[in-house]
Amino acid sequence: MKFIEFQIKRFRSIKDLTIKIVENEPIIICGENNVGKTNILRALNIFFNYFNSPKDLFIPERDIPYNKFYGSRGGTAYTEFIGTFEKKDKTKHKISFRLQPNGEISFKLNNRNVEIGDSSIFEILDNFRYYYIKSNNINIPEILSKTLEEEGLLPLDKKRSKQTQALKKLEEFIDLSKKAILDIEKEINLKFAQLINFDGFLKGKKIKINFAEYENLREALSQMVSITFDDGIDNGIVCKGSGVQRVVLLSLMQYISSKSNKKIIWGLDEPEVFLQPKLQKQVAKIIKDITKNQNQQTIITTHSQYFIDLRNVSNTHLLVGDLVKKEYIRRRNKTFYEIEANFKKFPSISSKISEIKKHLGIANNDGWILLPYNLLVEGVTDKKYLEELCLASDIQIPNIFIAHGTSKFLGFLQYLDLSAENLDYKPTILCILDYDSAGREQFEGIKETKFKNIKVIKKYISHENNMLTKTIPHEIEDFIPQNLIFDAINKILKRQGYKIITKAQIANKNKEAFLKTQLLEYAETIIKNNNLDKEPLKLTNDGRKLQICEICCELLSLHPEIYALNENQKNFLNEISCENV
């Protein structure tokens, strides 16, 4: 049985949020304070533990969104949790909990109403145990004790030979102890009888000393066993520091995860609290090991970079919230605000990482400068063009570095190689170079085997016309759709009072006589011939190239359908957008 999806409706700051529960990878939730990250863990706690926890686990006036409970009170003024489970044969089962403002609860199994005591629901839920570990105001000694009793000592209930012997010894001890207690009880009652030897309510009454009865070894030992941290000071775990308590808890988690016969789900709210950075990194590895190798699920809220795995951020979510103004007929002259917290959607993996990096306040020297897959291009215009073309074509935007000049490629690669020294993965750097004399020289000078910490790959920028050979020089502007470049150049010409490049002249660019001429050089020649009475207009200097690039990006974002890429261009972008080159 697998727990594969959880939907939360109208719970605190969450209006409607669905989270996919995946195997073998921790689920990481980032976000600003008070946006509702912890509410996801609370919702799971109610869903799995409502019937074996204190009844204040769900309080309608606190947990139903304020605008619903105090504002609309309409037909949807209730909280709902929907869990989806999958059996080995791939059949799915949905369990729905509805918690009403008056405290009533109703259930659905596969969209069918069922009674609260329906065993079919509990047969599914009983396969799982959810532990919610709060970030603060948490009694870690109590959790340690409860976890040790419920899971750690569970094997002692299996009456194998050694446990049977232990139970017999325990029963002998209990019998002797009972006799001793009875002797103490008799002596106390003799003293008590002397004190009440007169008529009245107390006459004839006795003091009784109760001796605990245990049905199994685990129950007995749970009352006798405690857990602490031996640092040479003989006191309980409650007297240790918060960081130490959490480390002890995580150690117990590892043990429990390896021994439990149920699917354990750990809801960890900011596990980095009270831990030094080095320990945070170690804890992140432990949690990943619990999830991957012990087949237990972990759902984590965090503000720490150490819990983010840059090689796979598909299960890392950035929770964002919006305030929506609400007014209700039945609450005239009163305004309510509905908080809508949801996972932010991103156009690409690199933009997602960039946003998470920004949220966590991570600087480049924190090791996030390098992603698992990266491009290195010659200049600013190369980066702008590639990003805008990917966006317009719905192609994933890669992480792109700028060398700021062809001659600086080698030095920049050396810098990236040094930056990757302490990473626990080997980043790939795909170098994109123009096919001109400077680009070819640099291409030959980059030796992939010279770099120890990064994997270096080299590639020339493709040309729009796939019939052309590599003997023809080309740069990024030759890759861009020609109508886009010429439209941008003509906009500049109009602003400056120059005659524009005509459609016939644009068409001539693809004739054999001009195939070996780079597009910007061709355009310069045409502009000069069209405007003999004006100063020649340079297009190939850096400033003018950047101006053309910005106009191209603006036109492309406004009218992507006009400047559609051909198959050769799309294939090239797909090739460089992810690590399959």
Side-chain angles (χ1 to χ4, degrees):
M1 181 74 75
K2 297 178 185 177
F3 180 45
I4 62 171
E5 186 177 280
F6 188 58
Q7 185 176 9
I8 305 166
K9 290 186 175 184
R10 298 173 294 277
F11 177 67
R12 296 197 177 197
S13 63
I14 298 171
K15 182 180 180 182
D16 191 348
L17 181 144
T18 298
I19 182 167
K20 301 289 183 182
I21 312 296
V22 295
E23 287 193 309
N24 303 323
E25 288 290 341
I27 294 170
I28 312 295
I29 302 168
C30 307
E32 299 291 340
N33 287 327
N34 299 316
V35 75
K37 302 186 301 296
T38 306
N39 289 340
I40 296 171
L41 304 185
R42 290 184 180 121
L44 284 162
N45 194 33
I46 296 169
F47 183 78
F48 282 103
N49 296 322
Y50 185 80
F51 290 103
N52 54 14
S53 295
K55 292 307 174 188
D56 62 355
L57 206 60
F58 182 85
I59 300 174
E61 58 266 32
R62 177 195 66 193
D63 296 324
I64 294 175
Y66 184 87
N67 65 293
K68 288 286 184 184
F69 189 87
Y70 293 100
S72 67
R73 275 301 182 107
T76 58
Y78 58 85
T79 292
E80 186 173 14
F81 304 127
I82 304 169
T84 304
F85 301 84
E86 184 180 82
K87 290 186 175 181
K88 285 185 178 180
D89 61 4
K90 301 300 181 182
T91 58
K92 292 183 174 64
H93 297 281
K94 283 193 176 184
I95 295 176
S96 169
F97 286 13
R98 285 190 178 184
L99 299 123
Q100 302 288 349
N102 61 4
E104 290 182 1
I105 182 169
S106 59
F107 294 93
K108 283 187 177 181
L109 178 59
N110 299 326
N111 297 317
R112 175 177 57 85
N113 290 324
V114 294
E115 297 296 326
I116 290 179
D118 193 301
S119 61
S120 56
I121 288 179
F122 298 103
E123 284 173 6
I124 294 173
L125 294 180
D126 196 48
N127 289 283
F128 302 87
R129 186 177 294 280
Y130 177 80
Y131 285 99
Y132 170 37
I133 312 298
K134 301 178 186 178
S135 63
N136 53 24
N137 298 326
I138 179 172
N139 188 335
I140 286 194
E142 182 182 322
I143 287 179
L144 289 170
S145 177
K146 182 181 177 185
T147 307
L148 187 63
E149 176 190 347
E150 293 181 351
E151 298 291 345
L153 299 177
L154 190 62
L156 295 176
D157 288 347
K158 297 175 181 177
K159 307 270 180 102
R160 294 191 296 245
S161 60
K162 289 185 179 179
Q163 277 112 23
T164 302
Q165 291 171 16
L167 278 170
K168 287 179 179 177
K169 292 289 185 184
L170 178 63
E171 287 168 0
E172 290 173 12
F173 167 75
I174 290 173
D175 287 339
L176 290 170
S177 299
K178 279 183 177 179
K179 290 173 183 177
I181 291 295
L182 285 172
D183 290 340
I184 294 169
E185 187 181 281
K186 286 177 183 178
E187 289 188 33
I188 292 174
N189 274 307
L190 286 173
K191 303 296 183 185
F192 183 67
Q194 292 172 4
L195 289 170
I196 61 168
N197 191 19
F198 59 88
D199 290 335
F201 173 75
L202 295 176
K203 189 174 182 178
K205 302 296 191 295
K206 289 184 178 181
I207 294 172
K208 185 176 181 181
I209 301 177
N210 293 317
F211 197 94
E213 298 287 342
Y214 302 107
E215 293 183 1
N216 51 54
L217 186 58
R218 170 176 62 100
E219 189 181 356
L221 288 180
S222 68
Q223 303 298 315
M224 303 177 189
V225 174
S226 65
I227 187 168
T228 188
F229 174 72
D230 186 3
D231 55 359
I233 302 172
D234 190 17
N235 53 23
I237 190 74
V238 72
C239 299
K240 309 300 180 184
S242 297
V244 169
Q245 291 185 30
R246 284 187 171 269
V247 173
V248 172
L249 175 61
L250 286 161
S251 301
L252 188 60
M253 278 177 59
Q254 286 180 286
Y255 174 78
I256 297 306
S257 296
S258 66
K259 298 294 182 183
S260 180
N261 59 359
K262 295 189 177 185
K263 296 275 285 185
I264 291 183
I265 303 169
W266 297 97
L268 303 173
D269 193 15
E270 299 179 18
E272 70 272 15
V273 172
F274 307 121
L275 301 180
Q276 58 164 300
K278 186 181 286 187
L279 200 50
Q280 288 182 35
K281 198 170 185 178
Q282 185 62 25
V283 166
K285 288 182 179 179
I286 289 170
I287 290 173
K288 188 164 187 178
D289 177 72
I290 287 172
T291 310
K292 186 174 183 178
N293 298 323
Q294 297 177 12
N295 200 26
Q296 308 293 348
Q297 184 57 60
T298 49
I299 304 168
I300 301 165
T301 70
T302 186
H303 293 288
S304 171
Q305 71 188 73
Y306 298 111
F307 293 87
I308 314 294
D309 185 354
L310 292 180
R311 290 162 293 184
N312 181 11
V313 293
S314 58
N315 299 317
T316 298
H317 305 285
L318 183 61
L319 193 68
V320 294
D322 294 316
L323 276 177
V324 180
K325 188 176 178 180
K326 294 282 185 180
E327 293 180 353
Y328 302 106
I329 295 174
R330 62 172 60 187
R331 293 286 187 271
R332 292 188 183 278
N333 302 320
K334 188 169 182 178
T335 301
F336 294 85
Y337 289 90
E338 182 178 50
I339 303 174
E340 295 183 7
N342 224 316
F343 296 140
K344 188 170 183 178
K345 291 180 172 57
F346 297 94
S348 68
I349 296 297
S350 60
S351 63
K352 183 177 187 178
I353 292 173
S354 178
E355 190 71 20
I356 292 171
K357 174 181 172 181
K358 181 181 176 182
H359 158 70
L360 295 177
I362 296 169
N364 285 343
N365 58 4
D366 292 313
W368 281 50
I369 185 171
L370 273 164
L371 302 188
Y373 178 72
N374 314 266
L375 299 190
L376 179 60
V377 298
E378 293 185 16
V380 175
T381 55
D382 298 82
K383 180 176 180 178
K384 282 179 173 287
Y385 277 128
L386 292 175
E387 287 181 338
E388 197 63 45
L389 287 168
C390 283
L391 188 63
S393 305
D394 197 27
I395 294 172
Q396 188 176 118
I397 302 172
N399 187 48
I400 304 177
F401 293 115
I402 303 169
H404 294 290
T406 311
S407 62
K408 297 179 180 177
F409 258 74
L410 193 56
F412 202 93
L413 285 170
Q414 290 168 345
Y415 159 67
L416 293 177
D417 192 45
L418 292 171
S419 299
E421 276 182 335
N422 296 318
L423 296 179
D424 56 1
Y425 59 91
K426 192 172 186 176
T428 295
I429 314 294
L430 172 60
C431 303
I432 305 291
L433 291 132
D434 292 343
Y435 193 78
D436 54 16
S437 58
R440 291 195 297 273
E441 181 182 348
Q442 195 65 214
F443 193 96
E444 294 301 321
I446 297 171
K447 306 300 180 185
E448 297 96 318
T449 56
K450 284 190 175 182
F451 303 98
K452 182 173 67 174
N453 305 307
I454 57 177
K455 177 184 176 183
V456 176
I457 304 173
K458 302 178 293 185
K459 194 176 183 69
Y460 288 116
I461 189 77
S462 180
H463 196 287
E464 180 183 359
N465 190 336
N466 58 9
M467 298 301 292
L468 298 176
T469 67
K470 283 186 178 179
T471 60
I472 299 173
H474 51 266
E475 53 189 4
I476 187 69
E477 286 81 7
D478 296 288
F479 173 72
I480 308 303
Q482 282 191 2
N483 61 334
L484 177 59
I485 290 283
F486 282 117
D487 283 356
I489 292 170
N490 280 338
K491 283 179 76 74
I492 294 171
L493 294 175
K494 286 179 182 178
R495 289 175 189 170
Q496 298 192 212
Y498 282 70
K499 292 178 182 177
I500 64 169
I501 302 171
T502 66
K503 290 182 179 179
Q505 290 170 329
I506 292 172
N508 285 340
K509 172 65 183 73
N510 292 319
K511 290 185 177 179
E512 190 173 352
F514 301 108
L515 282 179
K516 292 187 178 181
T517 306
Q518 290 178 315
L519 190 145
L520 293 183
E521 290 179 357
Y522 172 81
E524 275 187 357
T525 303
I526 298 299
I527 293 167
K528 182 180 179 180
N529 294 336
N530 287 352
N531 298 274
L532 296 173
D533 57 332
K534 293 184 179 291
E535 287 288 321
L537 194 71
K538 290 290 290 181
L539 299 179
T540 54
N541 60 51
D542 289 342
R544 190 66 77 183
K545 281 186 173 182
L546 185 57
Q547 183 187 24
I548 293 169
C549 174
E550 288 177 346
I551 295 172
C552 282
C553 291
E554 181 184 359
L555 289 172
L556 189 58
S557 65
L558 292 173
H559 308 289
E561 71 285 351
I562 297 176
Y563 307 107
L565 275 67
N566 61 33
E567 286 305 307
N568 182 59
Q569 291 165 321
K570 287 181 181 177
N571 288 340
F572 179 78
L573 290 177
N574 276 312
E575 284 177 10
I576 68 170
S577 68
C578 56
E579 194 169 3
N580 59 3
V581 293

